[in-house]
Amino acid sequence: MPLRSVIAGCGGCLPAQVVTNEELAARHGLDTSDAWIRERSGITRRHLAGPGETAASMGAEAARRALARAGIAPEEVDAVIVATATPDSAFPATAVHIQRLLGVTRGFGFDVSAACTGFIYALAIADAMLRTGQARCALVIGTEVYSRILDWKDRGTCVLFGDGAGAVVLRAEEREDGRGILSTHLHADGRHADILHVEGTTGPLRMAGREVFKHAVMKLAAVVDEALAANGLARDAVDWLVPHQANIRIIEAMGRKLGLPPERVVVTVDRHANTSAASVPLALAEAVEDGRIRQGDLVLLEAIGGGLTWGAALLRF
Ligand code: COA
């Protein structure tokens, strides 16, 4: 029987500080409005990290919750793979800091850099390693502190992002019931590096929003079709779309493309804003926690980000 990577538990962690659109505008003297931000992006508020909250601390907390829900002890984990564009230090990797915070002492850990697509990349790597026997139990984490790389005078970008972390525990299992990751699909095209990038290693982040928007709608539509075709599945087979949370208009366009009613599309962008590599695992954790996504459901994950990078994963939860 072939090995499958099965999600055994999910968890999320958001910083304590919640900042509304009005508060953000007032705090930074931005020439913007709550109405503009809501209409163009769907965002009403975001969580921003305080002094003690780091990529590692939030990632570790999300992982702790995922392990608790899976009923798995840190000693069983033999791989920690972290997607982040905002590590606390150049090295050691955020994954190693998280290992230490959790008390994981076996196996290996490393970071993946693919901006907002990072979690899909990390999930694809973990899946390949689990199915080839290089690990048995992996923590796959997206954790970001974008508040540290934003230009707070640039109203075109700083209103769109938030901080947070999400995690899943993946376990290699021989299964007959079809549960597990069915396929992952990764893409990158460095010709578009300029339209969404971070200057140097410390920022700030720069984005040509309109350009990114156009690429997002086209590339996500294509990769979603690619994932379904690879599994011989029609659009109506999808139970849940868990998209990258950058802009409600992009999310709604993807839902319409799949013919999914809005209640089958998981949305957190209104409350979290864009948490980059953390957005998909945070949204997944929320929908699992509140009982929407159930065992056996077909779940489609997709994301696009700086690079450009983009990708999708199809899984039977
Ligand atoms: N408040 C008020 N006005 C703002 C503003 C803000 N926070 N930010 C930008 N504007 C202005 C712009 O300066 C522009 O003015 P101009 O026409 O005089 O130049 C105007 O609003 C319209 O800007 P535009 O870029 O056309 O708006 P938009 O409808 O494309 O929405 C984004 C802007 C950024 C919300 C949208 O392009 C977007 O979401 N892009 C994709 C972002 C994304 O997904 N990024 C992450 C991928 S991982």
Side-chain angles (χ1 to χ4, degrees), residues 56-94:
S57 75
M58 292 191 297
E61 186 52 32
R64 253 181 230 114
R65 293 175 188 173
L67 286 169
R69 279 170 198 138
I72 290 175
E75 297 78 48
E76 287 178 60
V77 173
D78 52 15
V80 181
I81 305 180
V82 174
T84 186
T86 50
D88 302 323
S89 59
F91 72 83
T94 313

Side-chain angles (χ1 to χ4, degrees), residues 11-89:
C13 171
L14 290 158
Q17 182 189 196
V18 179
V19 183
T20 65
N21 292 338
E22 288 102 338
E23 286 164 348
L24 197 74
R27 186 183 289 186
H28 297 286
L30 295 168
D31 179 14
T32 188
S33 65
D34 176 51
W36 191 96
I37 301 168
R38 276 174 198 256
E39 274 164 31
R40 299 298 175 108
S41 70
I43 296 163
T44 67
R45 57 188 192 265
R46 74 285 294 139
H47 292 249
L48 297 179
E53 289 164 319
T54 65
S57 75
M58 292 191 297
E61 186 52 32
R64 253 181 230 114
R65 293 175 188 173
L67 286 169
R69 279 170 198 138
I72 290 175
E75 297 78 48
E76 287 178 60
V77 173
D78 52 15
V80 181
I81 305 180
V82 174
T84 186
T86 50
D88 302 323
S89 59

Side-chain angles (χ1 to χ4, degrees), residues 4-307:
R4 278 275 176 82
S5 311
V6 176
I7 296 186
C10 305
C13 171
L14 290 158
Q17 182 189 196
V18 179
V19 183
T20 65
N21 292 338
E22 288 102 338
E23 286 164 348
L24 197 74
R27 186 183 289 186
H28 297 286
L30 295 168
D31 179 14
T32 188
S33 65
D34 176 51
W36 191 96
I37 301 168
R38 276 174 198 256
E39 274 164 31
R40 299 298 175 108
S41 70
I43 296 163
T44 67
R45 57 188 192 265
R46 74 285 294 139
H47 292 249
L48 297 179
E53 289 164 319
T54 65
S57 75
M58 292 191 297
E61 186 52 32
R64 253 181 230 114
R65 293 175 188 173
L67 286 169
R69 279 170 198 138
I72 290 175
E75 297 78 48
E76 287 178 60
V77 173
D78 52 15
V80 181
I81 305 180
V82 174
T84 186
T86 50
D88 302 323
S89 59
F91 72 83
T94 313
V96 174
H97 289 300
I98 291 176
Q99 251 196 338
R100 177 177 48 82
L101 291 169
L102 294 175
V104 172
T105 52
R106 297 191 308 123
F108 56 87
F110 60 90
D111 288 4
V112 174
S113 170
C116 298
T117 322
F119 181 76
I120 306 285
Y121 270 59
L123 197 70
I125 295 165
D127 176 43
M129 298 188 96
L130 290 183
R131 283 187 295 101
T132 52
Q134 295 175 76
R136 298 285 306 169
C137 181
L139 271 171
V140 184
I141 302 164
T143 183
E144 301 283 15
V145 202
Y146 266 50
S147 57
R148 306 220 168 109
I149 57 161
L150 293 172
D151 176 352
W152 291 105
K153 292 186 173 57
D154 177 11
R155 66 179 184 173
T157 55
C158 73
V159 301
L160 301 173
F161 294 89
D163 301 331
V168 301
V169 188
L170 272 190
R171 201 161 45 184
E173 292 178 11
E174 290 179 348
R175 297 202 73 103
E176 279 175 342
D177 58 4
R179 282 187 69 204
I181 294 177
L182 305 183
S183 65
T184 56
H185 305 268
L186 305 183
H187 295 276
D189 186 345
R191 287 175 301 175
H192 307 299
D194 286 353
I195 65 172
L196 177 51
H197 69 284
V198 171
E199 289 179 3
T201 51
T202 53
L205 175 149
R206 297 290 177 215
M207 178 172 75
R210 234 174 283 186
E211 283 301 298
V212 174
F213 194 99
K214 279 188 239 157
H215 281 287
V217 174
M218 284 185 309
K219 289 183 163 55
L220 291 173
V223 79
V224 158
D225 279 344
E226 182 187 327
L228 290 171
N231 294 282
L233 290 167
R235 292 170 184 182
D236 62 7
V238 176
D239 294 307
W240 295 99
L241 174 65
V242 184
H244 174 46
Q245 308 285 323
N247 186 311
I248 192 67
R249 292 183 289 153
I250 300 173
I251 293 171
E252 285 172 353
M254 294 307 299
R256 280 195 299 274
K257 180 187 162 50
L258 287 164
L260 283 173
E263 59 273 17
R264 290 270 154 185
V265 180
V266 180
V267 174
T268 56
V269 68
D270 53 333
R271 292 156 290 128
H272 298 176
N274 181 350
T275 58
S276 192
S279 93
V280 169
L282 263 171
L284 182 65
E286 185 174 287
V288 171
E289 178 70 15
D290 67 21
R292 274 179 287 170
I293 296 181
R294 294 178 188 196
Q295 204 164 303
D297 285 351
L298 190 70
V299 181
L300 182 56
L301 316 178
E302 44 88 329
I304 184 162

